[in-house]
Structure formats: C-alpha cells, structure tokens
C-alpha cells in the first residue's frame, strides 16, 4: 500500500468520515496545520526556496513602504503612539527596510511599536533574527484581533493570497461547489458536489451570472478584510494591501501550487507546496469599506512604486553600487510588465479612516 505523509493521511481520514472536502479546508490544512502545514514548518523564501517576494527582491520595496507610512502618519495627525502592524511578515525583510528608511523621520520612528501578525513559528523565529536590534519595540501575535486598539498603520504584502478560497463550477444544472475526494484509483482528486447551490448566482455580479458550463468562480470569506476595515475605521488608521490579483470580481481559476519556483499539482504533496489564489480586490475592498473605511485603488504596483519615487531611489543606489545591473534587474522585476515581472500583475490598494485623506501614491 502507498505510504502517505501524516498530513495527507489526516486529509484522507477526514474525507472518508465526512465526504468530499471543501477547497478552503484543504488549503487551511496544507498551509497552516499546526504540526505539518507548509508555513508552520518551512521558511519558503529566496532563490533556493519556493518563491521570492518583492521585499526579498530589493530593499527599495520596504524602504518606499516605510516612507509611505511616515507620510500617512502625518496625515493621521502624527499620533504619539502608533502601531505599525504587518500581516504575514515572511522573513521580516520589508519591516526591517521600512524601519531603516524612516530614520529620516525621527518623530515617526519614536512613535512606533511594531506588531507582527504571524502564524508560523518557523517564520516568527526568522523575523526575530531579521529584526534584532531594530531599535523599536516588537510584539508578535497570532491574529490581528490580538493587537491592542489604537492608531494603526497596517501592511499586508502577499498575505491575502495565502488565505483559503472556495470554488464553484457552473454546470447545466447551476453552480456546484468544487471539493476534493479520493478517486477510484485512490488519488486525491477534484470533484463537484452533486447538488447545485440554490440562488448562488444571486451573489455574483450581474455580468457573471450566466456563464458557459465549466466556468469557475472563486471566493474568500473576507473575514480578515473585515478585521482590517474595523481597525482602520475604529482607530483612525490606514492599511496598505499589496498582492497579485484582479481589480474586479471575475470568473476564472487561479488556485495554484508552487514548490522550488515551479508550478505543481495542488493536490500532490499536501504541506510541501505553497497554495495561493489571486486576490479579488473588488470583493476585498467591499468588505473593508463595509466596516467604515475609505478605499483607494487598486492601482498597479508599477504605478504605486513609480509614484513613490522608486526610479530616483534606484539611481541613488546605483551611484553607490559596485554592480549596477543587480539594481536594474530588481527594478525591472518590481515595476516591469513582462512575464515574471510584478509591475502589472500586482495591485496596491489603500484604506484609511475617512478623516485621513488620500494617501501618497493614490492622488490620480
Ligand atoms: C507569501 S508569505 C508573504 C511574506 C511577506 N509579506 C513577504 O512579502 O515576503 C505569507 C505570510 O503570511 C503568513 N500567513 C499565512 N497565513 C496566515 C494567517 N492566517 N495568519 C497569520 N499569518 C499568516 C505566512 O506565514 C507568511 O509569513
């Protein structure tokens, strides 16, 4: 008999007991299972890891995010104490670069207490190392709800794409939830629930209600987006959300698995692959704004970083660098529009308390 990993055995046990598993449950187990989950056990970043994120590509990214926060803090009325909150800080690189950059605004830097919301013990340990000697108080939490109330600026770079999604498939009979089962050959495989979900189409934008059979629709619970909205609206705060995704709610299948910089089948090797899906920025913004926050964007990452002066920052770094090609390559990766570049695929949205006004980068 085939040997399964402990996590795959648990998934199979649940399917055997409860029937085909929703994709959100599968994703949550694969990414966050306390003993065997992908994030719980791995540090997946970097050239030798599974993927690379914008802060790991260049220091310019975190620096500009830091400068953005210092300007927003002034727009918030320069509160004496501000919580700088990061959701899913990865290796802590973005926060480190942001804190270094804001040394040029000492009043802001001395107002900061950093709150890192991280579920993975492996990455928490890495963040502690990266941020050692940062010179500001650092506090870790398991969820945003645990961060004490008060004025806050929240960052989330590639956080929302890691949150579980569900999928539905259109058939002649209606929209059916897609689930995961054990197929007759004994493999984990996608299936659909036998009965359609009554009135599901009423939840979709009018233009998406009657697509061809086989169309896929993905959605997230948006509870984390609502938490962000509440913090921003209740505590005179602001949030910056950067991720890959689409500006408007759309049909399409974007669930993907990545391991060692290559795409893989999401159902193989549970717990060993990064599972993500595009962020639906329209749905996310609706949830944040419903809590009383004002939304800006989404705009493309290239527009946001250009607006904050990334090209000038690159020129300054090049003037001091021994190898300028590295900086050119990083700049192209962050703001370029070619395949593998992030400039167009990644979007940036900001949310503020209604009194804060338009944040930097979103003026046009
Ligand atoms: C793709 S990484 C992005 C890391 C970092 N922001 C960057 O840009 O390099 C996703 C991060 O979110 C964390 N994470 C995923 N789901 C989480 C959850 N439900 N609560 C808290 N952190 C979570 C992961 O452990 C990881 O730190």
């Amino acid at each position: 008999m085939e040997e399964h990993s402990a996590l795959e055995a648990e998934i199979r046990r649940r399917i055997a007991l409860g029937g085909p598993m929703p994709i959100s449950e599968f994703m949550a187990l694969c990414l966050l299972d306390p003993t065997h989950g992908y994030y719980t056990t791995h540090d997946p970043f970097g050239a030798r890891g599974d993927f690379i994120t914008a802060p790991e590509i260049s220091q310019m990214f975190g620096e500009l995010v830091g400068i953005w926060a210092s300007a927003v803090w002034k727009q918030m009325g320069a509160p004496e104490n501000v919580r700088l909150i990061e959701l899913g800080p990865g290796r802590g690189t973005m926060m480190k670069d942001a804190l270094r950059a804001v040394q040029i605004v000492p009043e802001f830097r001395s107002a900061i207490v950093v709150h890192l919301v991280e579920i993975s013990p492996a990455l928490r340990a890495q963040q502690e190392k990266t941020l050692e000697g940062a010179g500001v108080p650092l506090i870790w939490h398991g969820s945003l709800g645990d961060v004490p109330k008060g004025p806050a600026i929240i960052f989330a770079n590639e956080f929302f794409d890691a949150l579980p999604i569900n999928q539905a498939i259109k058939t002649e009979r209606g929209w059916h939830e897609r689930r995961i089962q054990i197929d007759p050959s004994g493999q984990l495989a996608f299936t659909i629930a036998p009965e359609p979900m009554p009135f599901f189409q009423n939840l979709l934008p009018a233009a998406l209600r009657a697509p061809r059979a086989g169309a896929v629709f993905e959605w997230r619970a948006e509870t984390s987006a609502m938490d962000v909205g509440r913090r921003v609206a209740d505590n005179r705060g602001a949030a910056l959300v950067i991720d890959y995704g689409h500006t408007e709610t759309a049909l399409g299948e974007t669930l993907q698995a990545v391991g060692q910089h290559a795409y893989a089948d999401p159902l193989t090797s549970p717990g060993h692959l990064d599972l993500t899906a595009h962020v639906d920025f329209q749905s996310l913004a609706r949830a944040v704004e419903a809590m009383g926050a004002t939304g800006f964007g989404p705009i493309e990452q290239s527009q946001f970083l250009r607006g904050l002066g990334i090209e000038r920052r690159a020129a300054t770094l090049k003037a001091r660098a021994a190898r300028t090609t590295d900086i050119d390559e990083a700049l192209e990766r962050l703001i370029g529009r070619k395949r593998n570049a992030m400039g167009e695929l990644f979007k940036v949205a900001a949310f503020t308390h209604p009194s804060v006004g338009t944040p930097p980068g979103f003026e046009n």
Side-chain angles (χ1 to χ4, degrees):
M1 223 179 79
E2 213 179 323
E3 275 283 317
H4 301 298
S5 69
L7 184 58
E8 183 163 348
E10 172 62 14
I11 290 167
R12 287 168 174 270
R13 189 185 70 80
R14 289 190 188 204
I15 294 173
L17 280 174
M21 177 180 277
I23 293 177
S24 54
E25 184 180 345
F26 179 79
M27 256 181 108
L29 282 168
C30 289
L31 295 177
L32 304 176
D33 177 81
T35 328
H36 307 290
Y38 178 78
Y39 279 118
T40 344
T41 52
H42 285 61
D43 172 358
F45 296 88
R48 278 176 289 114
D50 288 337
F51 54 79
I52 188 156
T53 57
E56 304 294 336
I57 289 173
S58 166
Q59 67 183 79
M60 296 186 283
F61 188 82
E63 289 170 349
L64 293 175
V65 165
I67 297 302
W68 181 90
S70 65
V72 167
W73 173 73
K74 286 185 186 155
Q75 290 179 224
M76 288 162 62
E80 245 171 66
N81 293 300
V82 65
R83 290 133 193 79
L84 196 56
I85 305 172
E86 185 170 359
L87 307 180
R91 282 183 162 175
T93 307
M94 186 174 94
M95 187 57 81
K96 179 178 170 207
D97 292 333
L99 291 172
R100 189 182 59 254
V102 302
Q103 281 170 345
I104 60 170
V105 192
E107 327 77 82
F108 174 48
R109 206 169 189 280
S110 58
I112 292 173
V113 173
V114 168
H115 293 267
L116 300 141
V117 177
E118 176 56 70
I119 207 159
S120 155
L123 288 172
R124 258 188 204 206
Q126 179 59 51
Q127 291 154 20
E128 278 172 32
K129 257 197 224 156
T130 306
L131 292 167
E132 205 183 338
V136 296
L138 306 167
I139 306 172
W140 276 265
H141 308 271
S143 79
L144 180 56
D146 299 337
V147 180
K149 300 276 178 280
I153 300 175
I154 304 172
F155 301 145
N157 184 57
E158 289 205 45
F159 171 73
F160 282 95
D161 67 70
L163 301 183
I165 54 144
N166 287 296
Q167 287 183 338
I169 299 194
K170 179 76 168 58
T171 74
E172 302 302 339
R173 295 179 56 223
W175 287 96
H176 300 246
E177 189 180 356
R178 200 174 199 194
R179 295 196 177 164
I180 295 157
Q181 65 163 350
I182 302 165
D183 74 8
S185 71
Q187 302 302 312
L188 293 178
F190 288 110
T191 183
I192 60 170
E195 290 307 317
M197 294 180 280
F199 304 112
F200 181 78
Q201 67 281 0
N202 295 355
L203 295 171
L204 305 181
L208 309 183
R209 284 188 193 159
R212 59 169 176 80
V216 175
F217 182 76
E218 292 176 341
W219 74 97
R220 284 193 169 82
E222 304 295 13
T223 46
S224 297
M226 287 160 74
D227 289 344
V228 167
R230 271 186 219 107
R231 295 297 304 220
V232 166
D234 296 350
N235 294 290
R236 209 157 41 99
L240 187 68
V241 176
I242 308 173
D243 225 309
Y244 48 99
H246 34 277
T247 305
E248 288 185 0
T249 300
L251 298 172
E253 184 176 355
T254 70
L255 175 68
Q256 68 180 32
V258 169
Q260 295 175 331
H261 294 272
Y263 291 111
D265 176 344
L267 301 188
T268 57
S269 319
H272 294 280
L273 297 170
D274 182 36
L275 298 179
T276 63
H278 280 204
V279 171
D280 173 349
F281 274 90
Q282 188 176 11
S283 164
L284 180 139
R286 194 184 309 118
V288 180
E289 290 169 25
M291 301 298 111
T294 304
F296 299 89
I299 57 176
E300 290 180 359
Q301 177 166 299
S302 68
Q303 184 189 345
F304 178 71
L305 294 177
R306 280 205 166 102
L308 295 184
I310 195 168
E311 285 148 321
R312 276 196 311 279
R313 181 66 187 133
T316 309
L317 288 175
K318 275 167 72 174
R320 292 193 232 129
R323 262 173 63 97
T324 58
T325 48
D326 291 353
I327 298 167
D328 285 330
E329 278 168 26
L331 183 65
E332 170 57 26
R333 193 92 190 265
L334 292 176
I335 66 172
R337 308 178 79 82
K338 290 193 203 119
R339 219 174 144 322
N340 275 340
M342 295 175 160
E344 187 178 9
L345 175 63
F346 278 69
K347 312 288 186 302
V348 186
F351 301 95
T352 63
H353 184 274
S355 66
V356 170
T358 305
F362 294 88
E363 294 86 355
N364 297 319

